[in-house]
Amino acid sequence: MSFLQPILLVGLPLALLPVIIHLINQHRHRTVRWAAMMFLLDAKKMTKGLARLRQLLILAMRVLAIAALVFAASRPLAGGWIGLAGGKADTLVILLDRSASMEQRNLETGESKRSAALERLAGLVDTTGHHSEIILVDSATLSPIVLTDAQALNDLPETGATATAANIPAMLRTALDYLETREAGRTDMWLVSDLRQSDWNPGSGEWETLRADLAARESLRLFLLAFPGIEQENLSLAIREAKRQRAPEGWRLVLDLVLKRQGPGAESGDSEVPVEFTINGTRTVENFRVSGPELVLLGHSLPLSPGNERGWGRLDLPADDNPADNTAFFVFDEPAPRKTVILSDDPLSAEAIRAAAASPTEPGTTCEALVLPSNAVAQVPWQETALLFWHAPLPQSGSADATLLQQHVASGRSLVLLPPSDEGGAGLFGVKWGDWIGGSEEPLPVDWWRTETGLLANTRSGAPLPVAELGVFKTRAFSGEILPLLRLKDDHTMIARVVTEAGEGSSGSSSGSVYLWGTLPRADHSNLATEGVAFFVMVHRALEAGANAVSKARSLVAGKGVLGDDPEVRLLDGLDPDGAPVSPGLAAGAWESGPAGGETRLLALNRPESEDDPRVLTSEALETLLAGVDYRRIDDEVGSGSSLASEVWRAFLVAMALALLVEAVLCLPPRAEGETPNPLKSAT
Amino acid sequence: MTHDFLDPAVLGKLLGLELNARQPMIGNVAGRHRSPVRGSALEFAQYRKYVPGDDTRRLDWRTWGRTDRYYIKEFEADTNLRLCLIVDTSGSMGYGEPGSTRLDYARRLAGTLAYLAAQQGDATGLYSGSAGFQKETPPRRGPRHLGVLLDQIAGLESAGETGLIQAIHDAAEKIPQRALIVILSDLLFPPEPLREAFQHLRFRKHDVSLFHLLDRQEIDFKFDRPTRFLDLEGGPSLLADPQLIQRRYREAVQRYLGAIDEIVNHSHVDYHRVFLDEPYDQVLARFLLGRNPKTSRSAR
């Protein structure tokens, strides 16, 4: 329990006064020479139980009354749900989940989970008095900020709404690292979260070290302020892809949409959902019938009027309890040429790839392919290249070639690493080439491939690619942190994607993808070139992913630094739910970068689709994640109006009054004095 | 040895009262008390039919003249009285301030009664003691014996546990003829054995009187703060808060006194509950007057 005047607690030993007085009284007894011991023994025997209990109760009530008085004078604090055990900490660390799902609101009060948490925490700091230091770590920036005033919590840009996801393990790590460097003393750490599984990432390998580090800090108390409420009948909307296509009648906009329903009735029943389309300021409304929890609408086409070949737009759902997932932004422009560079000294492989990469897949798009020798890295047009095939030993990490490749990927472009024929080279991107496998005339059969995502995912219509027809005679093994996309017999991974720190490498991420192909499109290695469907699709999917980075209209997931260092970034349209200033890149919206009047690029920022996943951590899962960590969970609800701490001195005064009342009742003689038996009257 | 427990003023005041037995006594010399044996006293007792062997000098010729039948005329025989004092000398008899303890009070009563009996020409004896220590002086007459007896009364000391029950049984066995037994005790022990002891005395045809000596504090139990009670009979001491146990204490006293009353009534004991703050001359006067046939009848 916390106290506003803890110094007064030094008076707590005064509660022992009744006991001390009682003992002194007992010690100060007088001594009498007595003859009638037989009556005394009888009386003592008969009064041993109840009288003793009564006396103890009286003493206890007196002690309780004084203790309650001292406690009341110390101005104790207690939470709306629980008492906050312990005293005031030296440092208060607030870990704020600012993910889009935290914008769920109470429709009556308009209060969101995030704003409710901020209000509770500000109230807690105000009520408990100032901590020597208040540190804020928000999920969007992961940068510790020192606050001077609790009220600043509500006004800071670092506490505003965002369209980002949260990475709870990273937040905890940031806070722990900060505390480690500052050598903070007694610390209260308040973690605010809606317990979304996607934010907590229970599969992360970071949790093990986090648990150990949290448990090792004895001066740290972890409080989890949770808002696990599930939205009631919430609708969310996401755009997976928006692109401009040429049609016979002119340009058109093709959108891939996902509509999700949450709530009790999401699994059954149909509902008509009106979606408002805004393209370059022009609004139209279209109704969609949603059956079940999800509607995936691929290739939804909208005609673009002349003059609107370039622009931005947004899709809006009717207002519900989470406004952050009702809107999705998109931008579109003339597709940039999809340029592929093949760095290879193997003409057979290079030609097969060039042929596939140079063939356009859609009308209106231009595909180019350039083959260069493996030692001609300097000739690569990095700015225009969407996809690079690297058919050479992996360069040493830190070398100029390695840095160029890393920058290429970091800018959102795609890289395919092909197996060098002889030496594998050093390790890069956390992967390394291994030994060659196969080499006989019998092909290695395909055992499994990933169909839901990646280069070999099923087509939009759901049909699988003819991957099973592939024949692989020779493949090279590789090792590292990878996501397998295709495995051969005997568990040999042939195609994989490198798992990078930037995330899953999806199209919306600002970072590009790195793929590993264990075989080559030449006859002595595989029939990729001859059975070309799968090969063609793989090349163009990698190319399409990288093309987004070189496109003039690019869709990205909101996040810190996603807009880059360009100082000339202008907001075209965006979500500003609270009217609070939000750092560029963290809120959903349509942006334009580049000098005004010059060549500019369009950017659409949206929340990650994982934020629409309503699954929350179960208590058991949370216990597992924080096993061995001393933490206290406080479940709150938006709009409950409760507070984390409030003064409860009145309760102690009431307790004191009750104790005195009970003491008075117990002190009453069991019978009036006149009714005390008179032995002489009765006996004679 | 000084006999300061005897107050000449009290003795002078009480000398006018007779010490009587409630029933005929059997003495060995002539005295002022009735005897169950017919004798030559002046007081007529009864007529009875003549049987051969009776002394013809005791025939009532006037009755023969009126009824033509032979009757013997019998008269009361007056004899002396044996006063046996049984004094409890257990440790509890030492209760009270020095000089005015319960035993001091018992000394005054016993000494005064012995003096009064001796003045009437009656024999007096003393039985006293506590557990494991008994002292007895058989009843005798004469001023010399009175001096010895008073010395013994003066030398009584209170100590140890009570031995009153044993002393009563011993006295009942050792006193050969009817006597007036006066018991002086606080009776602070479970009362039930008293019943048998009194019946023993009654079986021996003794006239039993009991002076139950109590202090008012022992009844009222009025203390205002925790007190350690030291047992006068050597038992363990007891620390108690009297306010907590007063009620139960009084209930125990009430049950005890009720039991004593029942026993003395059943045993026809002349019972006197005496509080130590009462003047002993008044106690004795009440006792003597209660035994005087004339005053007790008029009082009745």
Side-chain angles (χ1 to χ4, degrees), chain B residues 24-148:
Chain B
M25 291 287 121
I26 297 177
N28 48 7
V29 296
R32 57 201 306 177
H33 305 283
R34 284 186 304 131
S35 169
V37 186
R38 299 296 168 233
S40 54
L42 295 175
E43 193 170 348
F44 170 77
Q46 65 179 359
Y47 286 107
R48 71 170 171 80
K49 284 188 176 178
Y50 169 82
V51 292
D54 283 342
D55 188 356
T56 53
R57 287 178 296 178
R58 296 175 64 187
L59 276 172
D60 189 342
W61 297 107
R62 287 184 183 174
T63 305
W64 173 75
R66 285 200 299 272
T67 63
D68 200 20
R69 291 178 183 172
Y70 297 107
Y71 285 95
I72 295 294
K73 191 175 183 180
E74 291 189 330
F75 294 87
E76 293 287 353
D78 287 344
T79 184
N80 69 332
L81 173 145
R82 286 187 178 83
L83 172 65
C84 294
L85 298 163
I86 300 179
V87 180
D88 180 6
T89 57
S90 64
S92 61
M93 291 295 285
Y95 178 77
E97 296 298 320
S100 58
T101 63
R102 198 184 338 252
L103 185 60
D104 292 329
Y105 199 95
R107 275 197 197 98
R108 291 187 188 100
L109 293 177
T112 306
L113 283 174
Y115 185 86
L116 293 176
Q119 291 304 311
Q120 290 182 174
D122 294 330
T124 53
L126 176 67
Y127 296 82
S128 66
S130 55
F133 178 75
Q134 303 289 336
K135 193 183 226 179
E136 61 180 71
T137 304
R140 286 197 187 130
R141 298 172 59 245
R144 189 175 167 192
H145 177 71
L146 176 64
V148 172

Side-chain angles (χ1 to χ4, degrees), chain A residues 509-528:
Chain A
S509 169
S510 61
S511 179
S513 301
V514 181
Y515 298 100
L516 284 154
W517 291 10
T519 190
L520 294 170
R522 48 185 289 171
D524 56 341
H525 282 69
S526 68
N527 62 358
L528 276 176

